[in-house]
Amino acid sequence: MRRPIKAVYPGSFDPITNGHIYIAERAAALFDELVVSVLLNPQKQSAFTVEERQAMAREALSHLPNVKISSFNGLLVDFLRQERSRIIIRGLRALSDFEYEFQLALMNRQLAPDIETLFIVTDAKYSYLSSSAVKEIFNFGGPVQEMVPPGVYRRLRERFPRPIQSQR
Ligand code: ADP
């Protein structure tokens, strides 16, 4: 019997958006197991705690039975070893993602040559979508319901009561 193939989809997920969900759905269809892992990056100021980000991801991906939500603090390749996985999934939106992602993938290969980074291209309708855009638009009173799952929208409203306009 072959060993189940497990992939890891790491990210800040601050918060998870429909673009992330799209990538997770496609990856979950390709592999036996997918671990969506929330990165703890002390250099990046986050809007939500790791626990909140995990809770939002768990809720948003509950329709995918082979997806597990996790978090990690440290080197990504060490997390992959811990999970006994050799596949990193990353999403690609535009050319602007490429340079950063390319550098990250090469760095991880340098650290762990047996680990492969695989890229899944986003859907055209999510190509502009990012967690930071969602937060920015929301803070200026813009509509973000179409960009995030309902649980994220609810938490955004709890976290950032809107000073500017009435809630849409
Ligand atoms: P990070 O801080 O690690 O870049 P993010 O949560 O911003 O974490 O993104 C995690 C991964 O998901 C990255 O590979 C990113 O390119 C990808 N991603 C983010 N938004 C989208 C989107 N709208 N469509 C497809 N992939 C996306």
Side-chain angles (χ1 to χ4, degrees), residues 7-48:
V8 172
Y9 179 26
S12 307
F13 304 110
D14 186 36
I16 191 163
T17 69
N18 292 344
H20 293 126
I21 295 169
Y22 180 81
I23 300 296
E25 283 172 346
R26 296 192 76 90
L30 287 175
F31 301 102
D32 299 301
E33 291 173 55
L34 179 72
V35 181
V36 173
S37 196
V38 177
L39 301 157
L40 216 154
N41 184 349
Q43 263 121 36
K44 230 175 172 178
Q45 221 195 336
S46 58
F48 294 98

Side-chain angles (χ1 to χ4, degrees), residues 21-152:
I21 295 169
Y22 180 81
I23 300 296
E25 283 172 346
R26 296 192 76 90
L30 287 175
F31 301 102
D32 299 301
E33 291 173 55
L34 179 72
V35 181
V36 173
S37 196
V38 177
L39 301 157
L40 216 154
N41 184 349
Q43 263 121 36
K44 230 175 172 178
Q45 221 195 336
S46 58
F48 294 98
T49 65
V50 169
E51 289 72 28
E52 288 169 328
R53 287 184 260 159
Q54 284 192 93
M56 288 185 274
R58 192 164 290 123
E59 208 176 294
L61 301 173
S62 62
H63 60 295
L64 302 171
N66 60 337
V67 171
K68 185 177 100 178
I69 313 298
S70 183
S71 70
F72 75 93
N73 181 5
L75 276 181
L76 179 57
V77 295
D78 289 340
F79 179 75
L80 268 95
R81 300 234 187 281
Q82 183 190 310
E83 287 290 326
R84 298 181 170 278
S85 167
R86 294 198 305 163
I87 303 165
I88 300 170
I89 300 293
R90 295 288 286 177
L92 272 187
R93 281 162 294 194
L95 204 57
S96 49
D97 274 343
F98 183 77
E99 198 162 331
Y100 172 70
E101 292 292 343
F102 187 69
Q103 191 189 2
L104 204 65
L106 286 183
M107 203 176 63
N108 284 325
R109 179 172 292 163
Q110 181 77 25
L111 295 171
D114 57 322
I115 289 177
E116 207 66 67
T117 302
L118 301 182
F119 295 100
I120 296 180
V121 171
T122 194
D123 190 89
K125 65 176 178 287
Y126 302 131
S127 59
Y128 63 91
L129 187 51
S130 69
S131 302
S132 39
V134 164
K135 287 178 280 190
E136 205 168 311
I137 294 167
F138 185 83
N139 278 323
F140 284 112
V144 297
Q145 287 102 312
E146 310 280 283
M147 303 176 193
V148 293
V152 169

